[in-house]
Amino acid sequence: SVIFLTFQCFSILVILLYFFHILIQNSHPLRFFMKHSLGGLGAVFCLILLLACPALALTGARNGLLLWADVVLPTLLPFMICSGMIVALNGVPLLTKPLFPFLSRFMGLSQPGSFVFITGLLCGYPMGARMDSRFLEEGRIELNEARTLLAVSNHPSPMFILGYICVQAASLFSSSNACPPWIFLTALYLPILPVSFLAKKCYHLNQEASLCRQDNYKSEHTHVSFDTHLMDCLETMEKIGLYIMIFSILALYLSAFPDSLLPLTLRCALLGAVEITTGIRAISGSVPGFAGALLITAAGAFGGISGIFQTKSVLKSAGLSIRHYILWKFFHSVLSCVAFALCFFINQSLQIGI
C-alpha cells in the first residue's frame, strides 16, 4: 500500500511537472534538466506504476475511451466536418453575418475571426483553437487577431453546460431554483468580454489590418479535398481521444487516494483541474452547496489539463503560445468564479424577495 501510494504520488507529480515545463519552455537550463532527468525518471516510474496497478490503469483507460466514443466523438466530429466544409465552400460570410456587427465593434474581429469565435463557442473544446490555428496558417487572419482569438474562443459548448454541468450541479442543492442554468451560462460566457478587451490591448489588435487581410483573401480560391478534410478531422479526434484516455487514468489514480493523505474537497478540485468531465462528476457527488457549484464553475472555465493538452495538439501555427493560453484560462476561471458568486447571491436575494 505504501509503495503503491509512493508510485502514485510520483506519477502525478511527473504529469504536473510536465505541465509546468510547458509554462517555462523558454527557460533552457530548466527545460534541459526536466527533459533529460525528471522526464526519463518519471517515464520509468509511470511504467512501474502501470505494471503494479494494472486494474486501475485498465479501468481508467476504458473510462476515457468510452467517454471519447460515447460523448466526444459523436458530438464533436460532425461539427468539425461541417465547419470545415463551410470554410471550403465559402460559407463563412453567411454564418457570421448576423453577429458580425457586434463582434466587429466590441471585440475587433474580422469576418473569418468571427467565424472562429462562433465555432469555438458552439462546438466546445478544442474547436476554437483548431479553427484559429487553421485560419492563421491559411492567411485568413493576422497573427495578432489569432492570438486574441486563442484567448477567447476555446470554451465548453452550451450543450455541454446545459446537458452535463447543469445536470450534475442540480444534485448540489435541494431546490432547482437555487442555482438555475442561467447562472452557469453567465458565469462561463460573460468573462469573454473583459478577457477579449485585455487580449486586444495586450496583442495590439489592429481592426483595420484584420479587415484588410479579410478583403485581400476574398479573391483567393481554396480547393479542399473532402477525403483530405475527413482524414484531418479523424487525426485530430484520435489525438483528443488519446489525451482523454491518459488523463482519465490520472484522474482515477487521484480518486484512489485515501482521505487521510488527500482531503476530499482538495481531491475533487484536483480532479476538476485534471479532466473536467470526471472532475465535475466527482465534485457533484462530494462537495455540496455553493462550494461545489463554485468548483464546477472553475473547472468548466479552465477546461482541465486534459483540455490544455488537447488544445496544444491542434495548434500547428507558429506564434500561438500555449503558455499564453494557459494564463488566459486561469484569468478566465477567476473571473468566472467572481461572476458565479455575484449571480448566485443575486438569485438568492431574488428568491428571498419572492
Side-chain angles (χ1 to χ4, degrees), residues 1 55 115 120 153 157 164 235 325 335 338:
S1 178
F115 178 78
S153 63
S157 68
Y164 188 80
E235 180 185 353
Y325 171 76
L335 293 181
V338 173

Side-chain angles (χ1 to χ4, degrees), residues 127-292:
M127 272 298 295
R130 182 178 183 274
M131 295 305 299
D132 187 27
S133 177
R134 175 182 172 181
F135 274 30
L136 177 60
E137 189 176 354
E138 293 177 355
R140 295 174 183 265
I141 56 178
E142 49 128 8
L143 178 59
N144 289 340
E145 184 177 12
R147 288 172 172 171
T148 303
L149 282 167
L150 186 61
V152 298
S153 63
N154 232 25
H155 307 285
S157 68
M159 290 184 295
F160 182 78
I161 295 174
L162 296 174
Y164 188 80
I165 290 180
C166 292
V167 171
Q168 294 292 326
S171 62
L172 301 175
F173 303 93
S174 57
S175 171
S176 59
N177 295 326
C179 192
W182 70 264
I183 294 181
F184 286 106
L185 290 170
T186 303
L188 292 171
Y189 290 149
L190 185 61
I192 292 175
L193 294 177
V195 170
S196 68
F197 176 79
L198 290 176
K200 283 196 302 180
K201 296 295 183 182
C202 178
Y203 298 124
H204 308 289
L205 177 60
N206 187 335
Q207 187 175 5
E208 293 182 0
S210 299
L211 293 175
C212 180
R213 172 67 64 90
Q214 170 187 326
D215 293 336
N216 291 338
Y217 192 86
K218 285 179 180 178
S219 60
E220 300 181 15
H221 176 72
T222 304
H223 174 73
V224 178
S225 166
F226 185 67
D227 289 339
T228 302
H229 175 59
L230 283 180
M231 292 306 298
D232 182 49
C233 292
L234 288 174
E235 180 185 353
T236 302
M237 290 305 306
E238 287 172 2
K239 291 180 182 178
I240 292 173
L242 289 174
Y243 279 123
I244 290 175
M245 183 191 72
I246 291 169
F247 284 97
S248 292
I249 296 173
L250 177 62
L252 197 61
Y253 283 147
L254 277 173
S255 301
F257 269 75
D259 293 342
S260 57
L261 289 179
L262 193 64
L264 184 60
T265 303
L266 178 59
R267 185 197 312 162
C268 292
L270 287 175
L271 284 171
V274 169
E275 208 282 314
I276 58 173
T277 309
T278 306
I280 289 172
R281 187 189 306 122
I283 293 167
S284 66
S286 305
V287 187
F290 173 79

